Amino acid sequence: MAKLHDFVDKYLWPVKSQEERGYPITGDSAGFYSYWNGVLNNIATGNAIPVGTELSALQAIRISTVFTCVLVRAESLGSLPAGVLQNDKQGSHPAYNHPAYYLIHNRPNPFQSASDFWKSVSCHIDLYGNAFALVSYSGRFQPTRIQLITDPCAVTIKETKGGECYYTFDGKDYADYEMLHFKDLSLDGYYGSSKVKLNGSTINYSDKLRTFGKNAIGTKPPGYFTTEAPFDVIKKQQQSLTDAWSGNIAAGKTPFLPMGLKYMNLQISPGDAQYLEAINATKEDIYGIFRVPPTLAQNYERATFANAEQQDLVFIKYTMLPLITNIEQECNAKLFSEANKTSSTPYYVKFNVNAFMRGDFKTRTEGYRTLWERGLITGDMVADFEDWNHYEGGDRRFIPMNMIPLDKVDDFVDKLTAPVDTNVADSGGQNNHRSDEEQKEFLKNLERLKKNGKLMVLKGEPLTQP
């Protein structure tokens, strides 16, 4: 069998040389090659060959559970603020003047807002395994436009003899930096794998359950009629019986069966098929494929407030962060110049994941207060988080010690630790701040002088014990 596989690869569908490694992800030519290549692999490994069970991306998204999962992931990505930041000695801050900032944050092209663009990217990744976008540059190598390619299947990845990557689309070749390629799990390092195709049996089973439910509820399942009446009599009435049956079923009425006709059902009942259990099990499988918690897909069957909050955190950490990291790294590699890679003040694309954590106002204010009291943020930074106006003195940082300004801490500590001259009376001052030991010694000496009759007189009056 291995020899048969080698024969097909060598003579019928030879693998392209390194000069042109790659073929369309799907489409007629690639689909034909991929199908027969898969057939040979299945025969060689002894696996069954599913015939006619593969759903296309557009067919899969018509399944409600698949649509919900794709929509949740897409809208979650599209709702995140994205922009270009720059690192310097003071930390990171938005690079509003960089040309890529407007494309990433506001509008990548005249037809899409940033939110629409990133939602489309997420949908393409989930359904096709790949999302492509053409980047146009100015003469100074500044990005001016990012245009989504609506058909990811029309892009071909190629590799030169020197190992450089380039792309072919619509009969034109594009350099690596001219094409943003966001891909899902890749088995070969070139193309991402479609969740729909890799899990075709599960998604196709869900589609069969939907069709079964539609037949069981909307119309009667397929079956046949039996009767003891002569066949020629039934033959003459066949059309009228068919019309009457179809009309009553469409109207939701029970059809009348004349001439002793009996309906024999060929399908099993929903109860015997454990229809509801199968539906729920398939939904859970699809949730797992897209890593979407059931509560986000509007399934609250076993949800509580406690585990719903935990599922939100799991969704952020294990579903959205891998997708966001994938997008950020691809943009960082291709939207900035080569000099940016070694710059001490590099630019980079960043999605603000903190937007996911925007809870209720009470939770936010408690978090802000904790950070503000430790000098980690300023009042103006809090105002920026909430889209409020700045205020005078809002750029100062505070820490505990009755909210002393952070830049006055050193002076305050020096004052507290400075030595204190307790014998101020020697320099003509009032010694009103004696220590306990000094006070006891003073009273002892005063008593001794009184006994010896050697009391001093101040302003004509004898000095008495205070």
Side-chain angles (χ1 to χ4, degrees):
M1 189 56 62
K3 292 183 179 180
L4 175 60
H5 190 282
D6 294 339
F7 174 82
V8 172
D9 277 345
K10 184 175 181 180
Y11 297 104
L12 299 183
W13 298 285
V15 178
K16 296 185 177 181
S17 65
Q18 192 176 22
E19 178 66 22
E20 291 189 11
R21 181 183 178 88
Y23 46 83
I25 299 169
T26 59
D28 294 335
S29 59
F32 188 61
Y33 173 85
S34 300
Y35 172 78
W36 285 107
N37 189 56
V39 168
L40 292 175
N41 284 328
N42 284 327
I43 294 176
T45 57
N47 295 331
I49 305 174
V51 179
T53 60
E54 188 176 277
L55 292 177
S56 68
L58 294 180
Q59 289 174 325
I61 203 172
R62 292 190 178 98
I63 300 173
S64 60
T65 309
V66 174
F67 175 81
T68 302
C69 292
V70 172
L71 182 66
V72 167
R73 288 167 56 95
E75 290 185 338
S76 297
L77 180 65
S79 64
L80 290 178
V84 176
L85 303 182
Q86 184 180 22
N87 271 337
D88 55 26
K89 295 181 180 179
Q90 303 299 323
S92 60
H93 56 84
Y96 298 113
N97 295 327
H98 195 283
Y101 184 91
Y102 180 82
L103 301 178
I104 297 295
H105 184 269
N106 296 89
R107 204 167 191 83
N109 59 71
F111 306 100
Q112 290 180 301
S113 65
S115 177
D116 292 336
F117 177 81
W118 295 120
K119 284 193 290 186
S120 297
V121 167
S122 178
C123 287
H124 282 198
I125 293 175
D126 287 343
L127 295 175
Y128 298 99
N130 300 271
F132 296 94
L134 278 174
V135 183
S136 301
Y137 292 90
S138 65
R140 301 178 60 185
F141 197 75
Q142 300 291 344
T144 59
R145 177 170 176 158
I146 303 177
Q147 184 67 50
L148 182 73
I149 294 180
T150 56
D151 183 12
C153 305
V155 179
T156 304
I157 302 175
K158 297 183 179 180
E159 184 180 6
T160 65
K161 292 181 178 179
E164 298 294 330
C165 174
Y166 67 98
Y167 299 84
T168 300
F169 171 68
D170 198 21
K172 300 179 181 178
D173 292 335
Y174 296 92
D176 178 58
Y177 60 83
E178 293 180 296
M179 183 76 73
L180 292 176
H181 180 197
F182 311 105
K183 53 179 173 286
D184 207 344
L185 175 67
S186 178
L187 301 180
D188 59 4
Y190 295 92
Y191 295 94
S193 302
S194 168
K195 293 183 179 69
V196 173
K197 292 187 179 298
L198 288 181
N199 300 277
S201 59
T202 300
I203 296 176
N204 182 68
Y205 181 60
S206 177
D207 183 62
K208 290 182 179 298
L209 288 174
R210 182 187 61 169
T211 303
F212 177 82
K214 179 181 177 181
N215 290 335
I217 298 174
T219 59
K220 290 295 182 184
Y224 63 94
F225 294 101
T226 63
T227 182
E228 296 180 357
F231 177 76
D232 55 343
V233 175
I234 299 299
K235 188 67 175 178
K236 294 179 181 179
Q237 302 296 327
Q238 180 179 1
Q239 187 61 43
S240 60
L241 291 173
T242 301
D243 294 341
W245 174 269
S246 301
N248 282 290
I249 292 297
K253 300 179 180 179
T254 302
F256 175 72
L257 299 179
M259 295 179 292
L261 287 173
K262 296 180 181 179
Y263 177 76
M264 307 300 293
N265 188 11
L266 289 177
Q267 287 195 348
I268 59 177
S269 67
D272 294 336
Q274 294 183 323
Y275 177 69
L276 296 179
E277 292 82 354
I279 284 287
N280 290 332
T282 306
K283 284 184 177 181
E284 294 292 337
D285 290 340
I286 296 177
Y287 295 151
I289 291 171
F290 291 93
R291 288 193 293 185
V292 173
T295 54
L296 294 183
Q298 308 304 307
N299 184 347
Y300 299 97
E301 183 177 354
R302 294 188 297 271
T304 64
F305 288 107
N307 65 24
E309 181 180 357
Q310 188 64 32
Q311 286 183 15
D312 290 344
L313 296 176
V314 170
F315 176 71
I316 296 169
K317 186 174 182 179
Y318 296 106
T319 301
M320 296 309 301
L321 278 183
L323 174 62
I324 292 170
T325 302
N326 179 11
I327 293 175
E328 289 176 346
Q329 292 183 354
E330 179 70 7
C331 291
N332 292 336
K334 297 182 179 179
L335 291 182
F336 306 110
S337 64
E338 288 293 324
N340 187 72
K341 298 178 181 179
T342 57
S343 173
S344 59
T345 58
Y347 295 97
Y348 60 96
V349 173
K350 186 69 175 178
F351 283 80
N352 185 7
V353 186
N354 292 331
F356 276 132
M357 306 304 294
R358 288 180 63 89
D360 58 276
F361 185 74
K362 180 180 179 182
T363 303
R364 297 202 307 274
T365 53
E366 289 176 353
Y368 294 151
R369 181 177 62 187
T370 301
L371 296 174
W372 182 78
E373 289 178 351
R374 283 159 175 75
L376 299 176
I377 60 176
T378 66
D380 284 346
M381 294 172 68
V382 175
D384 290 336
F385 293 148
E386 295 292 333
D387 292 328
W388 294 341
N389 295 327
H390 290 187
Y391 61 93
E392 186 176 354
D395 58 342
R396 303 185 72 181
R397 296 175 185 263
F398 294 84
I399 61 173
M401 284 192 284
N402 294 329
M403 296 296 102
I404 185 174
L406 190 61
D407 54 356
K408 300 294 184 181
V409 171
D410 291 339
D411 295 339
F412 183 76
V413 173
D414 291 342
K415 185 176 180 180
L416 290 178
T417 58
V420 179
D421 184 7
T422 60
N423 193 18
V424 294
D426 294 342
S427 57
Q430 297 294 328
N431 192 354
N432 297 325
H433 303 286
R434 297 187 183 96
S435 65
D436 292 340
E437 293 296 324
E438 291 175 333
Q439 184 68 11
K440 291 179 180 180
E441 185 66 20
F442 172 79
L443 294 176
K444 181 179 179 180
N445 292 334
L446 185 64
E447 187 66 25
R448 180 174 56 81
L449 292 173
K450 183 179 179 181
K451 290 180 180 180
N452 296 336
K454 296 181 179 181
L455 291 176
M456 297 177 63
V457 177
L458 298 176
K459 295 183 181 180
E461 297 179 1
L463 181 62
T464 60
Q465 181 176 345

